[in-house]
Amino acid sequence: PPHLPALAGVVPAEAPASGLRVRGVDGRQLRARHLRKEGGETRAGPHDDTESGGGCAGAGVLPPVGDGRQNGRPAKAGGGTRDEKPQVVLDGIEAALEADSEIEILAVGPAEIVNPFAAAHARVEALEAPDVISMEDDPIRAVMTKRKSSIVLACRAIKKGNADAFFSAGSTGAMTAAATAYVTPFRYLAEGKKQPVRPCLTNALPNRAGGLTVLCDMGANPDVTVDDMVRFAQMGAAYARVVLGIEHPRVGLLANGTEDEKGSNFTKSCFPAMKAAVPGFVGNCEGTDLTSGNFDVVVADGMSGNIALKATEGAAKFLLQELKGAFMSSLGTKIAALLIKKQMREIKAKLSGDAKGGAILLGLRGVVLIGHGATSVEAVKNGTLAAAQAVRAGLVQDVANSMDGIVL
């Protein structure tokens, strides 16, 4: 399958949410919902589901676990933002509509924003979501009490089969809590009991070999078990196969050295378990391997993975800032900057969240995508298209198939 566009975006305090419909493979109809955010929160949800709410953006419908197809039902995906003006999100929706002629959007948010927009676009429907989850709210409490916010509406839409996917750039904590509660993780058998899989926050980073490296977990689970790490590796490898088209992903365990004996007591316990249960497991890797291209999948607990991710992002921002300062320091360097302006823009785009920033929660029974903080038109567009493509590619089913002992 083609590489999924990266996600990014956040809805401004006054911004709406949106959704979209797509016609997928074999003439089957897919629906994807794209959401927007208001009051620091995006809103999403199907027109026929009024009992849920949440503060992000996006909702959709996934085919039942089995064949990875739509089975004739519509598939839905969502996307939205929180830091930019509402027009950024609306323009992003329009760009997605232009890019995919078989997508329909459900715009969710303040009535004064989404209703006029829907009236002006044939493939857009409007849905008002009164509750707001702000970035300051306690995620779990907000999900439990603000049941008509976009996050909860969107996640319940997936659970009820009214949506295929959900894209938002709202609170990561609220997104994870709502997705776990309503979209629900797959379950596995352990000691005769059904236990939920821990959702794993996953995305692909550009590497020096010209490809992409999958990082999981990026922050959803600071405290995990060895079995969790094994499942993270299996799900990350499935993502690499389905999303990036890597037939045999090379999987590494993040440690403080590449030697087998390196790492903490925890990673040393993970090593033999991953070696036994994860196809393509190569061994330990270092933080530099996030961008080296020597590994296709790097696995870490949520704490270590998030630190590695933020350190990499910080280094990239620092280098870009230093380059800009150097090129603006004199007339000669300014002339040199003009000569390589195109190449510098390409580098910036490669590192930008608009092109690849955002993550998917693997291990759930539906597609849930979380974008970066600040957003742009391109980010909203790509988040929408990525949500729809994940459904079309059958990512959820492939992830389920990658893990041992999954029960339906």
Side-chain angles (χ1 to χ4, degrees):
H3 167 54
L4 302 188
L7 327 170
V10 188
V11 181
E14 304 83 12
S18 63
L20 54 97
R21 170 181 302 171
V22 194
R23 280 197 187 148
V25 289
D26 300 331
R28 287 184 166 84
Q29 206 174 40
L30 299 167
R31 281 188 70 108
R33 297 201 171 179
H34 201 137
L35 307 169
R36 253 193 150 177
K37 175 167 194 201
E38 184 212 359
E41 158 212 43
T42 33
R43 315 196 166 254
H47 25 73
D48 57 350
D49 185 351
T50 59
E51 52 181 297
S52 44
C56 285
V61 173
L62 264 163
V65 175
D67 63 358
R69 293 171 162 279
Q70 294 310 304
N71 296 326
R73 292 191 320 205
K76 308 174 184 179
T81 67
R82 71 173 169 272
D83 292 338
E84 306 299 330
K85 298 297 182 183
Q87 193 60 44
V88 171
V89 179
L90 299 179
D91 290 346
I93 294 171
E94 288 184 330
L97 290 168
E98 292 176 3
D100 192 328
S101 62
E102 297 180 330
I103 287 179
E104 293 181 5
I105 303 288
L106 176 65
V108 188
E112 65 274 16
I113 296 177
V114 298
N115 289 337
F117 183 74
H121 296 79
R123 288 186 283 142
V124 177
E125 299 175 34
L127 173 64
E128 299 176 32
D131 291 345
V132 172
I133 295 179
S134 71
M135 302 303 287
E136 291 73 32
D137 286 341
D138 176 81
I140 296 178
R141 183 181 297 276
V143 167
M144 293 175 63
T145 59
K146 298 183 177 182
R147 298 173 62 83
K148 290 186 178 181
S149 59
S150 61
I151 288 179
V152 180
L153 282 171
C155 290
R156 288 187 68 106
I158 295 177
K159 181 178 181 179
K160 291 188 172 187
N162 298 323
D164 296 288
F166 174 25
F167 166 70
S168 171
S171 164
T172 299
M175 285 281 292
T176 303
T180 302
Y182 296 112
V183 181
T184 69
F186 287 108
R187 293 182 176 271
Y188 63 95
L189 284 176
E191 299 179 353
K193 297 181 180 180
K194 294 181 180 179
Q195 302 291 339
V197 170
R198 283 182 179 269
C200 175
L201 195 60
T202 303
N203 195 24
L205 309 176
N207 60 47
R208 298 197 299 272
L212 293 166
T213 300
V214 176
L215 173 61
C216 54
D217 177 25
M218 292 170 50
N221 305 281
D223 299 302
V224 297
T225 66
V226 171
D227 288 341
D228 291 330
M229 292 286 283
V230 170
R231 282 187 284 272
F232 291 172
Q234 293 168 339
M235 292 190 289
Y239 179 91
R241 288 193 301 271
V242 175
V243 176
L244 306 184
I246 302 172
E247 188 174 355
H248 302 290
R250 299 162 296 170
V251 180
L253 173 62
L254 187 63
N256 61 336
T258 58
E259 297 84 1
D260 293 359
E261 65 275 8
K262 285 294 184 72
S264 64
N265 289 333
F266 176 68
T267 57
K268 289 177 182 177
S269 299
C270 294
F271 189 99
M274 292 176 65
K275 186 176 182 179
V278 180
F281 180 68
V282 177
N284 286 335
C285 62
E286 299 177 314
T288 55
D289 287 312
L290 285 177
T291 57
S292 69
N294 295 328
F295 293 83
D296 301 306
V297 180
V298 173
V299 183
D301 62 83
M303 176 68 76
S304 301
N306 189 263
I307 292 172
L309 173 66
K310 295 297 174 61
T312 302
E313 290 179 339
K317 290 179 181 178
F318 172 75
L319 289 174
L320 287 175
Q321 181 177 327
E322 289 296 299
L323 283 172
K324 182 177 180 180
F327 281 123
M328 296 295 104
S329 62
S330 68
L331 177 61
T333 56
K334 288 179 181 179
I335 294 174
L338 287 175
L339 297 176
I340 61 169
K341 186 176 181 180
K342 178 181 177 182
Q343 289 79 2
M344 291 300 295
R345 283 181 174 175
E346 290 174 352
I347 293 174
K348 183 178 180 180
K350 189 175 182 179
L351 299 175
S352 171
D354 292 1
K356 56 146 193 70
I360 185 167
L361 276 171
L362 299 179
L364 299 173
R365 297 177 184 271
V367 174
V368 176
L369 305 170
I370 304 176
H372 276 298
T375 193
S376 67
V377 172
E378 190 71 12
V380 174
K381 168 194 168 185
N382 286 344
T384 303
L385 299 178
Q389 182 59 30
V391 177
R392 286 169 165 159
L395 177 61
V396 169
Q397 180 59 46
D398 203 276
V399 167
N401 292 340
S402 71
M403 295 179 286
D404 298 328
I406 294 297
V407 291
L408 305 181

